[in-house]
Amino acid sequence: MKNRLDLPISEVKGIGEKLQAHLNELGLFSINDLLFYFPFRYDSYEVKPLTELAHEEKATIEGQLTSDPVVQFYGKKKSRLTMTLQVEQFAVKAVMFNRAFAKKQLSAGDTVTITGKWDQHRLQITVSNYKKGAAEDQEPIQPVYTLKESITLVTLRKVIKEALEEYLEDVREILPQDKVLSYKLPERRQAVEQMHYPKTRTMLKHSKRRFIYEEFLLFQLKMQLLRKLQRELTTGNAQNYHNDRLTEFVQSLPFELTGAQKRALSEILKDMKNPYRMNRLLQGDVGSGKTAVAAIALYASITTGRQAALMVPTEILAEQHADSLKEMFGERIRIVLLTGSVKGKRRKEILQDIKEHKADLIIGTHALIQDEVDFQQLGFVIVDEQHRFGVNQRRTLRDKGLHPDVLFMTATPIPRTLAITAFGDMDVSVIDEMPAGRKPVETYWVKGQLTEKVLAFIQKQIRLGHQAYVICPLIEESDQLDIQNAIDLYNQLAQVFEPDIIVGLMHGRLTNEEKEEVMQSFAANRVQVLVSTTVVEVGVNVPNATVMVIHDAERFGLSQLHQLRGRVGRGSEQSYCILLADPKGDVGKERMRIMTETTDGFELSEQDLKLRGPGDFFGRKQSGLPEFKVGDMVHDYRALETARQDAAQIISEGLLETSEEYRMLKQMIEKDEHISGKVLD
């Protein structure tokens, strides 16, 4: 039988062609869409005692007029109406602007309910809404929906109310009874009604709680099913690496692996041995030793006779990886570097070597995923700073080989809450321990701009043979933002430092070749002070740089500040990060305080989430984070964890296929076009 909730919204009484088109603009096409279009906030008309009202809050009061309202006119069409109400034992003054007509509607002795801004000191309310009569005659909590200009709140409330009256009985429970009972959730039909027209704040709270869990559970089930599908498509992918050769390589390294590195490595090696394709995220703070773990994993795959690839976002990073890995591996394997700047005869030779398996490890930028690159037998792929690559670029690389194991690496410490959500179809390994002997970067917050003291400090460090970064947020002067821009700053510093100290400039408007050239000069110490926008953020390794000065630091999030700070402190010398900031608000001040007190990226990322919310965390909307209607990944992280555990259990026990109680959940998931039918067959 066809579900009535799938009918078009035109079936709802009062929705004609024109209104239907306006509702379509809001993404509302079916009756189901309308019923599940929840308010983003609620106006409360609950009458509280005057003693409980906070100064300047939006409040509703009920009282009796002690005299007729008085109107004063001033200017063209401007008026001010004042009246006095007896509320409890108090005389309260009510002021209404530009609604002189109310004088005809109200008179002494009337009971009136008024909503407006409460002034506690003057016992006065500035009226936004008023109604003749007592408060209990109206709904205490009113829904407020997201709107477009073409539709009013009154109209939307009316059609949703109409839809609720006609179709609410068609809403079916989709959660299994044991979950509803054990989490004390209201049943679905009642929760839908309460989300739109809650009788009390408590009922609203429980209805929200129900939909937060439902949303997270559906999302996590989809993620786990995708993961199951990916695994089942890639059986026969076990890599039985050569244990003795691997042990010999690990023992040849000039350092001892930390406990966290060993743990991450064993998780990766275990994945490689199982018959499914690996899909793992390795996250670790700047300098935590991800590259060493990556090198060992790459080598493990190469000992099975397969090829391996390492893809990074920039050419200079590819070159640095190639240099450090050649040093690590010595003569054990054959490494080639393939980037956009390798051209002509040399490029042909490299492509031929890859095709004929004369190269074991191929390191490069996205040049690796172009059609001309023909791998012989690609067994293992590492994508570094994976959030810098588009999903399609990652998929192309993955699909070039025979379902290679894939390891994504990132130095952006992502809080566990976000990692399990944004990357729910991946396993996550974390390196949360720094190698021995690594000195934490000393961080200082300096109010204002570049002072003589800071300049003198930079000069002192350069005289000791070190180098410095100076970072600022924008390239050119912006009218809206009074920000020290990179070009001005470069000119200023060149005047102060040159000719003894050479200053370089880097920003996003330079071509890739120009950026590479600037970074090469800095890496080779031909440039001692590099003025840059945040393009310097990811990956580049200049162990000689010991000073990081960040201009207008309050304009950056904690995670970005931490990433920038991670550009220094890569050698054995003590390094410093100086935050130049004059934050106006509490959040900005809090951010500076946290930065000076902690160097733990994971702790910072948790704090950043609390201060900024998940949408901004990756700095871009296409971060791959799902958008939830009711749930908030940060605020409701406990529900997210619970939903993830429940989803894992449901999938592992095969309940979607075998249990009648889970039939509705299965149907909901099947509606999602991203989940292939194969998963649920």
Side-chain angles (χ1 to χ4, degrees), residues 600-620:
D600 178 333
F602 287 95
E603 195 183 317
L604 280 169
S605 67
E606 292 285 357
Q607 300 273 8
D608 210 14
L609 263 185
K610 288 174 193 159
L611 292 175
R612 298 203 298 170
D616 296 333
F617 189 82
F618 291 91
R620 49 168 83 72

Side-chain angles (χ1 to χ4, degrees), residues 484-542:
Q484 183 84 6
N485 63 64
I487 295 162
D488 270 4
L489 193 55
Y490 165 72
N491 291 328
Q492 270 179 324
L493 291 181
Q495 266 186 328
V496 174
F497 290 144
E498 291 186 340
D500 307 339
I501 296 169
I502 305 300
V503 183
L505 172 65
M506 169 119 113
H507 55 68
R509 304 265 170 90
L510 298 178
T511 64
N512 281 343
E513 289 76 22
E514 288 168 328
K515 279 185 209 160
E516 295 288 336
E517 201 178 311
V518 174
M519 271 323 298
Q520 296 286 13
S521 299
F522 189 60
N525 203 357
R526 292 193 294 275
V527 164
Q528 286 79 45
V529 176
L530 181 62
V531 175
S532 173
T533 53
T534 51
V535 288
V536 81
E537 196 180 321
V538 171
V540 179
N541 192 12
V542 182

Side-chain angles (χ1 to χ4, degrees), residues 3-57:
N3 187 343
R4 291 205 310 159
L5 297 185
D6 293 332
L7 292 170
I9 48 175
S10 52
E11 296 290 316
V12 176
K13 202 167 94 184
I15 298 183
E17 256 181 60
K18 195 174 174 185
L19 182 53
Q20 184 179 0
H22 292 328
L23 289 167
N24 289 168
E25 283 174 31
L26 285 172
L28 305 175
F29 296 93
S30 67
I31 288 160
N32 190 72
D33 293 339
L34 210 49
L35 293 186
F36 287 86
Y37 191 69
F38 295 142
F40 74 93
R41 70 175 169 84
Y42 299 83
D43 277 345
S44 176
Y45 296 108
E46 293 167 288
V47 175
K48 291 186 200 165
L50 292 188
T51 49
E52 286 180 24
L53 298 181
H55 181 55
E56 295 200 330
E57 82 164 294

Side-chain angles (χ1 to χ4, degrees), residues 41-45 58 129 139-144 153 157 201:
R41 70 175 169 84
Y42 299 83
D43 277 345
S44 176
Y45 296 108
K58 187 175 185 182
N129 269 319
E139 307 249 2
I141 307 171
Q142 293 276 10
V144 181
L153 183 58
R157 277 179 182 166
R201 285 273 166 196

Side-chain angles (χ1 to χ4, degrees), residues 212-274:
I212 287 166
Y213 174 74
E214 179 183 302
E215 233 178 356
F216 285 162
L217 181 67
L218 278 167
F219 174 75
Q220 290 294 341
L221 281 169
K222 288 173 191 174
M223 280 298 204
Q224 308 253 356
L225 283 167
L226 274 174
R227 183 165 156 183
K228 182 170 179 262
L229 174 67
Q230 283 171 345
R231 290 178 73 126
E232 286 169 2
L233 283 176
T234 58
T235 49
N237 200 40
Q239 301 206 48
N240 293 307
Y241 51 84
H242 199 291
N243 241 327
D244 294 345
R245 284 173 66 189
L246 196 63
T247 307
E248 181 273 324
F249 173 57
V250 174
Q251 285 171 351
S252 76
L253 295 172
F255 46 81
E256 173 77 19
L257 293 182
T258 63
Q261 282 175 308
K262 286 175 184 166
R263 189 177 64 239
L265 184 61
S266 75
E267 288 166 355
I268 293 164
L269 293 175
K270 189 177 165 193
D271 272 2
M272 290 172 78
K273 275 197 164 167
N274 80 29

Side-chain angles (χ1 to χ4, degrees), residues 59-78:
T60 298
I61 61 171
E62 179 194 308
Q64 196 172 31
L65 285 179
T66 56
S67 57
D68 290 346
V70 177
V71 178
Q72 292 170 292
F73 290 95
Y74 56 97
K76 204 174 177 185
K77 292 184 181 172
K78 287 186 177 176

Side-chain angles (χ1 to χ4, degrees), residues 136-196:
E136 66 259 18
D137 303 344
Q138 66 180 8
E139 307 249 2
I141 307 171
Q142 293 276 10
V144 181
Y145 301 92
T146 304
L147 299 166
K148 286 234 163 94
E149 284 173 20
S150 49
I151 195 162
T152 66
L153 183 58
V154 173
T155 305
L156 190 57
R157 277 179 182 166
K158 195 173 165 188
V159 296
I160 288 176
K161 202 158 196 176
E162 195 68 54
L164 282 168
E165 281 167 16
E166 176 73 16
Y167 296 98
L168 185 63
E169 66 192 45
D170 293 88
V171 172
R172 300 269 176 274
E173 183 55 81
I174 66 166
L175 295 178
Q177 208 50 36
D178 65 323
K179 298 281 182 265
V180 174
L181 293 172
S182 63
Y183 300 140
K184 297 187 172 65
L185 301 173
E187 63 95 18
R188 200 164 191 249
R189 188 177 300 162
Q190 179 201 5
V192 168
E193 185 178 24
Q194 291 302 311
M195 285 295 285
H196 292 289

